Amino acid sequence: MHALAGQDGASAGHVVDVGEVMQAIAEHKGCGTTGGSGKASCGSAAGQGDLPTEIWEKVKNHPCYSEEAHHHYARMHVAVAPACNIQCNYCNRKYDCANESRPGVVSEKLTPEQAAKKVLAVASTIPQMTVLGIAGPGDPLANPEKTFRTFDLIAKTAPDIKLCLSTNGLTLPDHVDTIAGFNVDHVTITINMVDPEIGAKIYPWVFWKHKRYTGVEGAKLLTDRQLLGLEMLTERGILCKVNSVMIPGINDKHLVEVNRAVKSRGAFLHNIMPLISAPEHGTVFGLTGQRGPTAQELKALQDSCEGEMNMMRHCRQCRADAVGLLGEDRSAEFTTDKIMAMEVKYDLDTRKAYQEKVEEERVAKVAAKQEELSTLAGAVSDIKLLVAVATRGSGLINEHFGHAKEFQVYELSTAGAKFVGHRRVDLYCQGGYGEEDSLETIIRAINDCHAVFVAKIGGCPKADLKAAGIDPVEDYAHEFIEKSAIAWFKAYLDRVNSGEIEHVARGDAEIRQGALTSAA
């Protein structure tokens, strides 16, 4: 038996019985967040932009609803909802899988009580974990008793953690009042179509009120219920994110219409994700050879939908038991056997102090970006290009090239640095040696980028990247990403304008599927 502690030595102290901790936390009325709404009174306005204060308070430390926050804050999902009430041609649920990273996959299912203890353990170990989501492996609202029991336990025992759920929306209208009653401020609805003819190609059947509906009839029922639920949630002031899976040749062009439909009903954020269709996952689309989009196809669709509607570009299509920062998965550290053997010391003051440090980092990051951006004032150029960044988080260039499991991608122009996505890759460094096969896949994954920013890189991969036309950049190791990218871009423009180099457009890139797996 051992005490599970927070970071930075904050664990020092006696072991506390988890039941006593739960009761103590339930009675807490301090400076942290209250009532499950996640409103923090100790944050900063860094990155608020034009958002109303009420909305900013809901999203500022939510890694899924704020691109800026995802560099600093972590989330976790608990797998308490195994049943599902629809069938999607892109989904194959797995309940005991540790080596795939995609929605619908978990290593183990949990009871609400197990989930509640896991949340306390993770939040004590990862003080920047601010969000608890239920996203499956089935549909949370097809498992309403387990879902709301879990929310009830967390709201009472860890009131500083935001509560979220992700649903296909079929039964959403039936549960809106309950969702609002638990102060769930964030709901994600997966909406892939608003045309039942298209929907029939995606959903073989839906099951509602003890009856199975197929084809166009089932798709029409689903889309009607989804849009009604979205309207009901937004009328209550609940922030809604809409997820859409881009399926080339089926709904890719139609998603522009979906974007208009959800925007008109008050959705806060639209997340267009690439289809995961690797045959080994066993989905209908995977087994029938339906391809996913290329990187540039995905970006072009996201760009076309961007306007007044916020577009999410940083989604990692997480497992239903993911733990940690977006882009990492620490779920293997928190298996049921390990959790049930722990005695958890949940310290709200430590979490609050840690998150205050995070907010100081965010302020410094934004200030550095604005200072560097001012050096581009007056620059005139039509050049836009992409760069890849190896990072472990905190908005820093702080990852070795060979250790990167993904690269974050930024679009650079005279307007500054704009985050536009990420690319999963296989590890290049395997047991101290470079894996040439992996390097080839990395180059294909970032082939549309002019440069890759890293904390460090070896001579062999550096030479191969240069040969592929990708500039490996080590000059900004451990510095802020956006500030560094802007500085590099300014120097790039100077070289182009002086005739030293010629700007050449890059080709397309490959979206890697399933490269990231749970940490061992």
Side-chain angles (χ1 to χ4, degrees):
M1 304 285 284
H2 63 279
L4 188 66
Q7 296 181 7
D8 299 332
S11 61
H14 60 287
V15 174
V16 180
D17 178 77
V18 71
E20 295 177 359
V21 172
M22 288 182 170
Q23 182 59 36
I25 295 171
E27 296 172 355
H28 181 81
K29 297 291 188 297
C31 173
T33 60
T34 58
S37 68
K39 286 190 174 183
S41 57
C42 307
S44 75
Q48 180 170 353
D50 297 328
L51 287 178
T53 299
E54 180 181 358
I55 301 299
W56 171 245
E57 291 292 334
K58 292 180 179 180
V59 305
K60 70 179 181 181
N61 62 354
H62 195 308
C64 301
Y65 279 70
S66 166
E67 182 274 314
E68 202 278 331
H70 103 277
H71 298 288
H72 304 277
Y73 289 102
R75 84 310 186 209
M76 70 174 294
H77 295 163
V78 289
V80 298
C84 198
N85 49 12
I86 72 173
Q87 179 60 50
C88 309
N89 282 335
Y90 55 77
C91 181
N92 181 25
R93 286 172 286 150
K94 294 184 179 180
Y95 304 130
D96 58 355
C97 178
N99 62 359
E100 292 182 21
S101 182
R102 58 183 176 86
V105 171
V106 297
S107 293
E108 54 186 356
K109 294 175 285 186
L110 303 176
T111 67
E113 289 72 24
Q114 289 171 330
K117 185 169 183 181
K118 181 174 182 177
V119 170
L120 292 181
V122 171
S124 299
T125 306
I126 308 174
Q128 69 271 38
M129 194 281 283
T130 53
V131 173
L132 179 279
I134 301 178
D139 188 86
L141 299 182
N143 304 258
E145 296 83 6
K146 294 177 181 178
T147 293
F148 292 121
R149 170 63 176 161
T150 303
F151 281 155
D152 186 42
L153 291 171
I154 300 305
K156 291 176 179 176
T157 59
D160 62 318
I161 294 177
K162 288 179 168 66
L163 304 178
C164 299
L165 68 83
S166 180
T167 177
N168 60 47
L170 181 61
T171 64
L172 178 58
D174 303 328
H175 297 288
V176 169
D177 289 340
T178 306
I179 291 169
F182 277 102
N183 293 319
V184 176
D185 272 338
H186 308 79
V187 174
T188 295
I189 313 169
T190 299
I191 301 178
N192 295 313
M193 55 84 205
V194 292
D195 180 344
E197 295 287 343
I198 293 175
K201 300 175 183 179
I202 302 172
Y203 305 102
W205 55 261
V206 307
F207 191 80
W208 189 60
K209 291 191 174 180
H210 312 291
K211 181 179 177 181
R212 181 171 293 196
Y213 297 82
T214 61
V216 173
E217 183 184 21
K220 185 177 188 309
L221 172 63
L222 178 60
T223 187
D224 288 347
R225 300 282 292 172
Q226 289 173 332
L227 297 178
L228 173 60
L230 173 58
E231 290 177 354
M232 294 172 69
L233 289 171
T234 56
E235 285 172 358
R236 286 165 171 77
I238 296 171
L239 289 187
C240 294
K241 174 166 67 73
V242 169
N243 283 353
S244 299
V245 179
M246 181 183 177
I247 311 165
I250 294 181
N251 74 343
D252 46 348
K253 295 180 175 59
H254 176 62
L255 286 179
V256 176
E257 185 178 344
V258 172
N259 179 265
R260 287 195 293 263
V262 301
K263 174 184 175 182
S264 69
R265 289 166 174 82
F268 174 74
L269 196 62
H270 194 188
N271 173 29
I272 298 178
M273 308 174 292
L275 171 70
I276 297 175
S277 59
E280 59 265 30
H281 296 149
T283 66
V284 170
F285 282 149
L287 296 175
T288 56
Q290 171 65 52
R291 74 172 181 89
T294 68
Q296 290 305 301
E297 287 174 336
L298 177 64
K299 183 178 182 297
L301 177 57
Q302 292 170 332
D303 288 347
S304 70
C305 291
E306 192 171 54
E308 295 181 18
M309 180 82 173
N310 297 311
M311 294 299 296
M312 180 181 183
R313 311 254 190 167
H314 58 283
C315 177
R316 303 308 200 274
Q317 294 174 275
C318 304
R319 291 165 54 99
D321 58 0
V323 174
L325 293 169
L326 269 66
E328 72 174 1
D329 186 1
R330 297 176 59 179
S331 58
E333 299 175 34
F334 303 98
T335 62
T336 300
D337 289 345
K338 293 177 181 178
I339 291 297
M340 299 316 291
M342 295 175 181
E343 293 190 37
V344 181
K345 183 178 186 298
Y346 188 87
D347 188 338
L348 277 172
D349 290 335
T350 296
R351 284 175 52 77
K352 168 179 167 281
Y354 190 96
Q355 291 175 26
E356 285 178 341
K357 292 180 181 178
V358 170
E359 290 303 315
E360 291 175 3
E361 289 180 3
R362 292 178 72 178
V363 171
K365 173 175 170 282
V366 171
K369 173 186 175 181
Q370 294 302 323
E371 180 182 2
E372 195 64 43
L373 187 58
S374 67
T375 66
L376 277 175
V380 178
S381 174
D382 294 330
I383 291 177
K384 286 186 177 181
L385 57 81
L386 301 180
V387 297
V389 180
T391 176
R392 295 197 306 270
S394 299
L396 298 171
I397 304 166
N398 56 4
E399 182 66 284
H400 191 294
F401 176 84
H403 300 161
K405 294 180 180 179
E406 71 164 29
F407 291 91
Q408 296 187 5
V409 178
Y410 287 77
E411 182 178 72
L412 306 183
S413 69
T414 54
K418 174 184 176 182
F419 181 92
V420 295
H422 67 95
R423 309 285 168 77
R424 287 180 176 174
V425 297
D426 293 321
L427 280 175
Y428 171 70
C429 187
Q430 303 281 351
Y433 296 92
E435 180 58 57
E436 292 306 311
D437 289 343
S438 293
L439 182 58
E440 291 180 8
T441 68
I442 293 170
I443 290 174
R444 289 199 299 269
I446 61 173
N447 186 57
D448 53 349
C449 296
H450 278 74
V452 56
F453 290 70
V454 298
K456 191 175 181 181
I457 185 170
C460 289
K462 180 185 293 187
D464 287 349
L465 285 165
K466 287 183 176 179
I470 303 170
D471 183 21
V473 180
E474 297 178 88
D475 299 340
Y476 304 97
H478 304 287
E479 296 186 20
F480 289 123
I481 294 171
E482 290 160 305
K483 171 184 170 64
S484 302
I486 293 169
W488 178 89
F489 182 67
K490 183 175 182 296
Y492 180 88
L493 289 183
D494 289 343
R495 294 169 66 198
V496 171
N497 293 334
S498 69
E500 179 183 346
I501 61 173
E502 180 183 358
H503 174 69
V504 178
R506 300 286 300 166
D508 206 342
E510 178 183 284
I511 295 178
R512 298 275 292 128
Q513 298 185 351
L516 175 65
T517 59
S518 177

